[in-house]
Amino acid sequence: MANLLSAAEYADIAKKLKLPTASFVNGESYTSGSGKTFTATNPATDEVLAQITACNADDVDFAVAKAKEAFEDGRWHKLSPSERKKVLLRFADLLEENAHELSVMESLDSGKPIRECQLTDIPETINTIRWHAELIDKIYDSTAPVGSGALTLVVREAIGVVGLVLPWNFPLLMLAWKIGPSLAAGCSIVLKPAEETTLTALRVAELAYQAGVPAGVFNVISGGGREVGEPLGRHMDVSMVSFTGSTETGRLFLHYAADSNLKRIVLECGGKNPAVVMNDVEDLDSVAGHVVNGAFWNMGENCSASSRLIVHADIKDELLKRIGVQMREWKMGSPLDPENRIGSMVSKAHFEKVRSYLEQAAVEKLRVVYGGNTEKDIFVEPTVVDGVGAESRLFQEEIFGPVLSVTTFNTIDEAIALANDSVYGLAASAYTDNLRNAIRLSREIRAGVVTVNCFGEGDASTPFGGYKESGFGGRDKSIWAHDQYTEIKTIWIDVSER
């Protein structure tokens, strides 16, 4: 429980929080000319937190204009790499100084457990910013072997004004995955947080400006998808959009790009991720721990959640027993209590979606091994459902809640076929003590990230994104993310004798 405060201390911080309510444009708070607002609510308690500025297309135009002005005069991208690095490292320091405040704000706004915010989301947010800051002055451009008559340089240049569109499940961490490489590359950004979870993005923008990111470089526009997201996707002065969210919405951004200026689009979308467990595994307790963490971390509101347990028939019953033991540690309750590992669903609407899958399990006469209950029409108990066939909605559709479906197999060929029987291909896990099986599973499962004998997403140095309908156009994290916020330019200099 290192670095955690008590429930009482977190509650005290919550009482004293000054929540941001306005968008942030050109280095200052910005209120839409429409005067409209939307309500930020604590989903776990239904308490109203704040009335936040609801922006529209006119506000997007204004923010993009300020971002373009900042980019064209070079106040950020023309700084030396070492200067941009210093600013981003100061920014990371400010995030660290405000870690408790940001953790509580994130928990209140999303229903996430405070322990997860404090121990995972905030530290990883800070680490991501520092990683990309340190990368700035360590990326070398190159030359091409063109002979003695010319000198050719292949250089990267910041792509320009970029739109960053965030999901509601990891508001701070997904923000860091996008602003880290885009600011490091020298871009100016217009960021749209999810309506459900807007507060921390507004606060982070203030801290970035305080750290020295120039006015106009980091702008946050709050509001709905139709009112803000679509105008951003269609804007002729936006050179690139990076989006994380549903596959359905991701498709729209491809249309927006086609209908406007053919801007670069990078999508990180849904997942229905398998955890394949072979019968050669000896330490079933370890496997059970990873499977439970993969399925129920962040209440299963995670695009890379291990939501399909594909387990060899010989060991299924024993593994399910071990999973039940592990689940005892996953207490559900008030998100501000650090003893709890399961908070609320992000909204009433999402709760109803997740509950519909519990009802579907009953319709399909599937066996609920653990859980299956709900509380206060916002909390969903961690649930394990056995006997799920490949044709079931629980096998095929992204539930985005704490529901683990269990399907058995008898051969590795069958396991691979089941793992790949999905329109998605974001992440997967393979559990085996046989090296040949490990290599085959990791190579033949069609997913952007495959972990062996663990659940995870790599670290800041490894790319994250998916195959098939899980992604398009690029990756978050790593040097590959940095590259997608830049254009590659060839400079050919004639040095031949005249």
Side-chain angles (χ1 to χ4, degrees):
M1 300 286 280
N3 300 319
L4 289 173
L5 305 179
S6 68
E9 288 172 311
Y10 284 122
D12 187 56
I13 292 172
K15 289 178 184 177
K16 296 175 181 177
L17 275 180
K18 183 179 180 181
L19 300 176
T21 60
S23 290
F24 193 84
V25 179
N26 203 35
E28 60 187 9
S29 295
Y30 173 84
T31 302
S32 174
S34 71
K36 293 182 179 179
T37 62
F38 64 92
T39 303
T41 303
N42 179 345
T45 64
D46 211 28
E47 173 192 2
V48 172
L49 298 172
Q51 297 296 329
I52 299 177
T53 293
C55 293
N56 56 33
D58 291 337
D59 304 311
V60 172
D61 286 343
F62 180 75
V64 171
K66 291 301 179 183
K68 182 180 179 183
E69 179 183 303
F71 186 78
E72 290 186 342
D73 69 22
R75 67 187 72 167
W76 179 244
H77 77 86
K78 288 185 180 178
L79 291 180
S80 69
S82 61
E83 285 300 312
R84 291 204 308 277
K85 172 181 171 180
K86 287 178 184 177
V87 171
L88 291 185
L89 290 176
R90 284 199 297 268
F91 175 35
D93 289 343
L94 283 175
L95 292 173
E96 192 163 38
E97 290 172 16
N98 290 273
H100 290 314
E101 171 197 345
L102 290 168
S103 295
V104 172
M105 196 179 295
E106 188 94 320
S107 179
L108 291 175
D109 207 18
S110 66
K112 293 166 70 77
I114 190 67
R115 64 175 294 132
E116 181 180 306
C117 298
Q118 190 82 71
L119 298 182
T120 302
D121 291 21
I122 304 300
E124 285 303 310
T125 293
I126 295 165
N127 179 63
T128 298
I129 300 299
R130 286 185 173 141
W131 194 89
H132 285 286
E134 291 289 355
L135 187 65
I136 293 174
D137 59 3
K138 299 174 182 65
I139 298 179
Y140 288 80
D141 291 325
S142 59
T143 64
V146 296
S148 60
L151 173 64
T152 299
L153 307 177
V154 182
V155 300
R156 297 175 181 86
E157 294 183 351
I159 197 169
V161 176
V162 300
L164 307 177
V165 183
L166 304 183
W168 47 254
N169 59 331
F170 289 97
L172 273 172
L173 192 51
M174 296 301 98
L175 175 148
W177 282 16
K178 296 185 189 301
I179 68 171
S182 57
L183 289 176
C187 298
S188 292
I189 65 177
V190 178
L191 182 144
K192 181 211 171 298
E195 261 190 297
E196 295 89 342
T197 52
T198 299
L199 295 175
T200 48
L202 297 173
R203 179 61 180 138
V204 166
E206 295 172 351
L207 293 174
Y209 181 67
Q210 183 180 335
V213 175
V217 172
F218 187 164
N219 308 280
V220 178
I221 292 290
S222 50
R226 187 72 66 183
E227 297 80 11
V228 174
E230 181 174 347
L232 193 58
R234 293 185 180 277
H235 207 288
M236 297 297 290
D237 289 329
V238 173
S239 298
M240 180 263 195
V241 167
S242 179
F243 166 83
T244 296
S246 71
T247 301
E248 179 184 12
T249 303
R251 293 181 195 275
L252 295 177
F253 280 96
L254 296 177
H255 285 288
Y256 301 155
D259 293 342
S260 57
N261 60 346
L262 293 181
K263 59 177 61 66
R264 184 181 299 173
I265 300 292
V266 175
L267 306 176
E268 194 274 285
C269 298
K272 189 66 179 175
N273 312 292
V276 176
V277 184
M278 300 296 294
N279 62 346
D280 54 40
V281 172
E282 294 183 5
D283 190 350
L284 284 179
D285 288 323
S286 175
V287 174
H290 285 297
V291 169
V292 168
N293 186 45
F296 304 133
W297 173 48
N298 202 50
M299 294 74 68
E301 294 173 335
N302 179 15
C303 56
S304 62
S306 299
S307 55
R308 292 186 293 153
L309 174 58
I310 299 173
V311 57
H312 197 286
D314 290 349
I315 60 169
K316 183 197 74 171
D317 291 341
E318 185 60 31
L319 179 59
L320 288 181
K321 290 179 184 177
R322 310 291 180 95
I323 285 173
V325 172
Q326 294 284 342
M327 288 176 64
R328 295 171 189 167
E329 303 297 318
W330 288 71
K331 298 178 182 178
M332 183 174 72
S334 170
L336 282 184
D337 185 342
E339 294 295 326
N340 294 326
R341 300 180 74 173
I342 298 288
S344 72
M345 297 288 95
V346 73
S347 67
K348 296 288 187 184
H350 188 62
F351 168 82
E352 292 299 337
K353 176 195 171 186
V354 175
R355 180 159 64 180
S356 73
Y357 286 96
L358 301 180
E359 295 167 350
Q360 181 66 27
V363 169
E364 295 183 20
K365 296 182 171 56
L366 302 173
R367 184 169 73 99
V368 177
V369 183
Y370 304 110
N373 300 310
T374 64
E375 292 182 10
K376 301 178 182 178
D377 285 341
I378 197 65
F379 291 86
V380 177
E381 199 174 27
T383 300
V384 178
V385 182
D386 190 18
V388 180
E391 72 289 344
S392 171
R393 287 180 57 205
L394 276 74
F395 186 93
Q396 293 291 343
E397 298 177 13
E398 186 178 35
I399 299 173
F400 226 60
V403 180
L404 175 66
S405 67
V406 182
T407 306
T408 57
F409 68 89
N410 291 292
T411 69
I412 189 171
D413 288 337
E414 184 183 358
I416 292 168
L418 286 167
N420 288 332
D421 187 5
S422 173
V423 298
Y424 299 112
L426 184 57
S429 299
Y431 298 89
T432 175
D433 286 344
N434 181 292
L435 180 59
R436 290 181 180 273
N437 287 342
I439 293 172
R440 187 175 174 199
L441 289 166
S442 61
R443 287 297 183 89
E444 295 190 25
I445 293 176
R446 300 282 293 167
V449 177
V450 180
T451 58
V452 178
N453 292 332
C454 63
F455 166 78
E457 298 173 349
D459 62 14
S461 70
T462 57
F464 181 84
Y467 290 22
K468 299 187 278 188
E469 294 184 22
S470 287
F472 178 89
R475 293 290 188 264
D476 285 319
K477 303 196 302 176
S478 80
I479 193 171
W480 281 271
H482 183 105
D483 282 353
Q484 68 200 16
Y485 293 100
T486 61
E487 293 281 18
I488 302 298
K489 175 180 283 186
T490 295
I491 300 174
W492 183 287
I493 304 171
D494 184 355
V495 296
S496 62
E497 294 184 9
R498 299 184 182 277

